Amino acid sequence: VQGIWGRFMDGTDINACCRSSDGRFIATGNDAHLIELFKFPCIGSGLDVTGKIKLRPHSKTYVGHSSHVTNVCWSVDDGNLFTTGGNDCTILQWEVIHDEVPEAELGKSPSRASS
């Protein structure tokens, strides 16, 4: 999961992470009020001389909490993601809708992806 941390994060910014039971995704919750969804495994492009990730993997970012995200958890069937907020004292339920992009097109730039 080394790729979940951004280049300028100090290691305490991410409060929770959880891998989906099918092993395809990892969700994180952080101090910036954000939920991020990565493909798993989430590996960066290597480390620089200071030990920081050179390039972070692509993620999808979602906003819902008005405070830091304290936890993330997948439903048993991976159809929903549950997140809890800190000072906003909320629990949010997110429906997971998978993009309909063929596996062969993942990772290509939008201009190259066929429709």
Side-chain angles (χ1 to χ4, degrees), residues 3 7 17 25 27 44 50 53 63 65 69 74 80 84 88 90 107 111 115:
R7 181 161 178 72
C17 69
F25 301 103
T50 66
I53 297 292
V63 179
H65 293 283
V69 180
W74 293 93
N80 292 282
T84 57
D88 64 12
T90 61
S111 61
S115 52

Side-chain angles (χ1 to χ4, degrees), residues 13-25:
D13 303 287
I14 295 176
N15 300 318
C17 69
C18 186
R19 185 181 60 125
S20 61
S21 60
D22 66 6
R24 293 177 57 201
F25 301 103

Side-chain angles (χ1 to χ4, degrees), residues 40-52:
F40 186 81
C42 181
I43 301 170
S45 66
L47 305 176
D48 65 15
V49 293
T50 66
K52 301 282 186 175

Side-chain angles (χ1 to χ4, degrees), residues 99-108 113-115:
D99 292 341
E100 296 194 16
V101 177
E103 276 300 310
E105 299 296 325
L106 290 175
K108 291 185 180 178
S114 61
S115 52

Side-chain angles (χ1 to χ4, degrees), residues 37-115:
L37 188 62
F38 297 88
K39 286 196 284 183
F40 186 81
C42 181
I43 301 170
S45 66
L47 305 176
D48 65 15
V49 293
T50 66
K52 301 282 186 175
I53 297 292
K54 289 181 185 176
L55 183 62
R56 215 172 158 215
H58 175 72
S59 67
K60 291 193 176 187
T61 303
Y62 303 92
V63 179
H65 293 283
S66 63
S67 179
H68 60 287
V69 180
T70 59
N71 210 344
V72 295
C73 182
W74 293 93
S75 63
V76 174
D77 66 356
D78 295 331
N80 292 282
L81 182 70
F82 299 92
T83 61
T84 57
N87 293 329
D88 64 12
C89 300
T90 61
I91 300 172
L92 298 180
Q93 178 179 349
W94 304 80
E95 181 181 7
V96 178
I97 301 172
H98 296 281
D99 292 341
E100 296 194 16
V101 177
E103 276 300 310
E105 299 296 325
L106 290 175
K108 291 185 180 178
S109 66
S111 61
R112 290 186 184 172
S114 61
S115 52

